[in-house]
């Protein structure tokens, strides 16, 4: 049975454990500095399984040693951005947490694939790569699957397109720096510009960019977790199942799309070794410019991190 360890038994971590436990037969460990939360939620999830037919086992606790023997490690530990907090503040709070966890992962699960979720995503994925010392193909971050899921949702709700007919991807970084592939995408094999008015399409793109913030606005405290959990699980199942599925993933770029030395959302084929291959799609000039603009912003922030490679 494959072993998955999830660091952080908070909203995103616990929901991911729940969805994964039902979706496949897995050994799952949840590790959180709040010992009771990790133990209690692990018991709750396991007690949900008898009527589902799932053979998964879940354990939880504060001991980083639970990661031993893991095939996949999902990192959701840390803080979400709170009102008044800058991206730099968030980086300073979360980078040491991600570093500690990933150094321990490198010692106890040296063959694992690392999937980072903690924000700011592309920076924390870079920190995880540095702290673990893993080859870059075994480190990746989740944001693009969630952003793509939201884009498809808004294309459906605001523009009436059937989700199963839409072939699209959101690349780049999270939030303002996301790069939805408006020109490359198709709905029932037709360009989006042929099935939607320009204003409607622009509205969908903006609503997608604001998708996370809109939910935060409703919740008051905390951020989204159901759609993130399903997005993480979609990646996890592609990795563990060695499917080669192509998903938008924060992956290390070494020249693809003219970008080098950072993690950024691009289409990648996933398998048990992590990122098998990064696909270079024929993007329009505008799409490529959006991706490269996100890349230069991420590069600037990453150069200020000063993270040492293990
Ligand atoms: P949360 O506060 O509900 O959970 C975070 C958990 O991390 C808490 O239980 C906390 O005790 C734990 N934790 C803190 N330090 C730890 C450590 N050193 N070891 C183990 N556990 C530790 O937050 P959440 O809503 O689950 O979000 C978690 C992170 O995921 C945030 O940074 C959030 O911004 C991010 N997020 C990213 C995406 C994405 O698309 N990449 C989507 C949603 C959330």
């Amino acid at each position: 049975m494959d072993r998955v360890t999830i660091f952080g038994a908070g909203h995103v971590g616990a929901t991911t454990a729940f969805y994964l436990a039902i979706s496949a037969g897995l050994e799952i460990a949840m590790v959180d500095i709040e010992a009771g939360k990790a133990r209690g939620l692990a018991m709750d999830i396991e007690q949900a399984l008898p009527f589902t037919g799932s053979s998964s086992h879940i354990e939880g606790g504060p001991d980083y040693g639970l990661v031993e023997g893991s095939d996949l490690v999902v990192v959701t530990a840390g803080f979400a951005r709170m009102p008044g907090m800058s991206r730099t503040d968030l980086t300073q709070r979360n980078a040491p947490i991600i570093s500690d966890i990933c150094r321990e992962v490198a010692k106890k699960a040296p063959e694992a694939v690392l999937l980072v979720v903690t924000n700011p995503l592309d920076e924390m994925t870079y920190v995880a790569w540095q702290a673990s010392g893993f080859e870059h193909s075994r480190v990746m971050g989740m944001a693009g699957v969630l952003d793509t899921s939201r884009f498809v949702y808004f294309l459906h709700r605001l523009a009436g397109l059937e989700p199963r007919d839409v072939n699209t991807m959101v690349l780049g970084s999270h939030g303002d720096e996301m790069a939805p592939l408006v020109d490359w995408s198709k709905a029932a094999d037709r360009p989006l510009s042929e099935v939607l008015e320009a204003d409607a399409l622009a509205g969908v793109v903006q609503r997608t960019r604001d998708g996370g913030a809109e939910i935060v606005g409703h919740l008051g405290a905390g951020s989204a977790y159901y759609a993130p959990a399903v997005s993480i699980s979609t990646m996890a199942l592609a990795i563990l199942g060695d499917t080669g599925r192509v998903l938008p993933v924060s992956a290390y770029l070494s020249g693809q799309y003219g970008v080098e030395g950072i993690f950024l959302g691009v289409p990648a084929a996933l398998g048990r070794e992590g990122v098998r291959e990064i696909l270079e799609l024929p993007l329009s000039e505008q799409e490529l410019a959006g991706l490269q603009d996100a890349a230069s912003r991420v590069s600037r922030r990453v150069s200020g991190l000063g993270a040492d490679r293990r």
Side-chain angles (χ1 to χ4, degrees), residues 62-264:
D63 178 10
Y64 279 21
L66 285 170
V67 78
E68 198 153 344
S70 294
D71 302 285
L72 174 68
V73 175
V74 179
V75 185
T76 73
F79 299 90
R81 194 150 151 191
M82 284 172 277
M85 211 181 192
S86 71
R87 192 190 269 262
T88 313
D89 296 337
L90 188 61
T91 300
Q92 281 166 359
R93 291 193 81 174
N94 284 340
I97 296 175
I98 304 305
S99 277
D100 282 355
I101 289 172
C102 294
R103 275 197 287 267
E104 211 53 31
V105 171
K107 283 187 221 150
K108 303 218 160 70
E111 305 298 323
V113 169
L114 259 170
L115 201 177
V116 179
V117 181
T118 305
N119 278 320
L121 195 267
D122 301 307
E123 291 93 311
M124 292 306 107
T125 309
Y126 188 90
V127 169
W129 173 58
Q130 294 287 68
S132 64
F134 284 2
E135 61 264 48
H136 53 68
S137 56
R138 279 200 292 129
V139 183
M140 68 185 87
M142 188 292 290
V145 177
L146 173 61
D147 293 334
T148 303
S149 186
R150 286 180 174 150
F151 191 42
V152 173
Y153 164 83
F154 287 125
L155 283 168
H156 174 61
R157 290 297 292 252
L158 302 180
L161 302 184
E162 274 306 311
R164 66 171 174 274
D165 290 342
V166 179
N167 184 21
T168 189
M169 266 191 239
V170 177
L171 308 182
S173 201
H174 233 10
D176 283 348
E177 297 166 6
M178 71 177 69
L181 299 188
V182 171
D183 303 326
W184 177 85
S185 302
K186 297 263 178 8
D189 286 331
R190 292 171 67 204
L192 291 185
S193 58
E194 280 183 18
V195 289
L196 284 179
E197 298 288 337
D199 282 0
L201 194 47
V204 168
V205 167
Q206 194 53 47
R207 194 83 185 266
T208 305
R209 281 192 206 288
D210 298 338
E214 185 176 355
I215 291 174
V216 170
H218 286 299
L219 292 176
S223 55
Y225 48 97
Y226 288 109
V230 173
S231 304
I232 296 162
S233 304
T234 301
M235 290 172 66
L237 295 172
I239 294 163
L240 295 171
D242 200 27
T243 64
R245 185 170 183 186
V246 175
L247 292 166
V249 165
S250 180
Y252 186 86
L253 290 164
S254 27
Q256 299 92 336
Y257 297 103
V259 181
E260 209 168 342
I262 56 164
F263 288 81
L264 190 72

Side-chain angles (χ1 to χ4, degrees), residues 7-59:
F7 282 89
H11 289 94
V12 176
T15 313
T16 302
F18 178 60
Y19 187 80
L20 271 180
I22 291 176
S23 305
L26 295 168
E27 265 179 31
I28 300 175
M30 284 200 294
V31 181
D32 200 293
I33 43 172
E34 288 191 43
K37 183 161 146 184
R39 285 201 190 99
L41 291 176
M43 286 176 83
D44 188 21
I45 293 170
E46 207 165 51
Q47 288 167 14
L49 299 183
F51 285 106
T52 68
S54 166
S55 56
S56 292
H57 296 290
I58 334 282
E59 58 184 329

